[in-house]
Amino acid sequence: APEALPGEVVRIEITVDSICLAWPTVDGLEYLVEGRRQLTDLAWTVVSEPRRGDGSEMSLCLNGATDFRYFRVIQGVSLPPAAPPSVAVPNVHLSLDAAFQLCLTWDALLGAEYFVEGKERLADPAWTVISPIIEAVGLQASYCQGLETNWRYLQVRRVNSAAEPSPVIESLEWSATGPVVRWSGLVGARYQLFYSDTLPAVWVPVGDAMTSLTGEFQFVDTGALTGGSPGIRFYRVQRLP
């Protein structure tokens, strides 16, 4: 079964630019690193992909600006972490901004967390985390770095989270006060409703995230949060991490 390595066998070296962990491995066992931002965080977050040990020392370096400050190494992982980052982040674009920085921009899930990895050479065997955790506050997220950087190959990954069922809009009806949107989800989970009055859709969040004690959700669009109805309106629901 997976278990955390004793703290005394994990070496941590901190510099201005990086936080590096090193630990001994057992040939054939998989290892990954988890982190916490605060010691009081209730859960650990996976900050690396599983890597197979070969009996020699293994290491992982994070950018010194990372939000994570507490780490542990898990030995004996049998399966990759669920969900991304093993799945590519869609629509990543590279551009040059007015300050002559290289900027990555990508489609994001509101509230989800992302990080950027880099390689100096394409032949390098492993990617290095080069950004802090980036929380998406909209439907796009971005990360920029100066042209003097040594990182020449970049990719965006989403912080691991458990597999989550998608919400289902079960009905859209009309009432005397406006459209009524009903959907089902998980008890206690957070869902965000969006609307668009155009196609192609430009999704706008409606109010705050919603939770339910029954798993059933309802929103009556009186126009107070959406500026009134133009006659045609589209809705979507997204579960927040």
Side-chain angles (χ1 to χ4, degrees):
E3 61 179 356
L5 290 180
E8 58 268 23
V9 305
V10 179
R11 291 189 294 106
I12 300 180
E13 297 181 0
I14 301 175
T15 67
V16 174
D17 300 320
S18 65
I19 299 175
C20 294
L21 293 83
W23 61 92
T25 68
V26 175
D27 187 25
L29 291 185
E30 301 276 351
Y31 296 80
L32 57 76
V33 177
E34 296 182 323
R36 282 177 172 170
R37 295 178 181 81
Q38 304 291 335
L39 195 57
T40 54
D41 288 352
L42 296 179
W44 292 89
T45 298
V46 176
V47 297
S48 77
E49 294 186 54
R51 296 166 59 189
R52 184 175 295 273
D54 60 5
S56 61
E57 186 175 80
M58 183 177 291
S59 63
L60 173 74
C61 289
L62 305 177
N63 187 287
T66 178
D67 291 342
F68 291 104
R69 286 294 177 263
Y70 303 91
F71 302 94
R72 68 178 183 180
V73 178
I74 304 298
Q75 173 180 274
V77 179
S78 57
L79 292 173
S86 58
V87 176
V89 173
N91 296 330
V92 178
H93 303 287
L94 181 64
S95 61
L96 192 65
D97 69 3
F100 295 100
Q101 297 183 109
L102 288 174
C103 294
L104 292 175
T105 303
W106 60 91
D107 290 349
L109 299 175
L110 184 65
E113 295 180 318
Y114 298 85
F115 59 93
V116 177
E117 294 182 318
K119 285 184 177 183
E120 294 186 13
R121 295 168 296 276
L122 191 58
D124 290 348
W127 292 88
T128 299
V129 177
I130 63 172
S131 76
I133 295 299
I134 301 165
E135 181 176 356
V137 296
L139 299 183
Q140 280 196 329
S142 62
Y143 173 75
C144 298
Q145 60 177 355
L147 291 177
E148 70 281 0
T149 178
N150 291 327
W151 305 111
R152 291 293 178 258
Y153 303 92
L154 305 171
Q155 66 179 13
V156 181
R157 313 304 288 273
R158 183 183 172 191
V159 173
N160 287 284
S161 59
E164 303 167 348
S166 300
V168 176
I169 294 182
E170 298 177 332
S171 67
L172 178 57
E173 303 172 354
W174 183 263
S175 71
T177 53
V180 181
V181 186
R182 295 187 178 92
W183 69 92
S184 60
L186 298 178
V187 173
R190 300 167 61 237
Y191 294 90
Q192 179 68 56
L193 180 67
F194 296 83
Y195 77 95
S196 176
D197 294 332
T198 63
L199 283 178
V202 178
W203 295 110
V204 180
V206 181
D208 296 327
M210 300 173 62
T211 60
S212 169
L213 297 177
T214 64
E216 300 299 322
F217 296 79
Q218 175 177 299
F219 174 76
V220 181
D221 191 353
T222 64
L225 297 177
T226 59
S229 175
I232 298 178
R233 175 159 289 166
F234 306 92
Y235 299 92
R236 65 173 282 200
V237 178
Q238 177 186 313
R239 182 179 176 185
L240 302 184

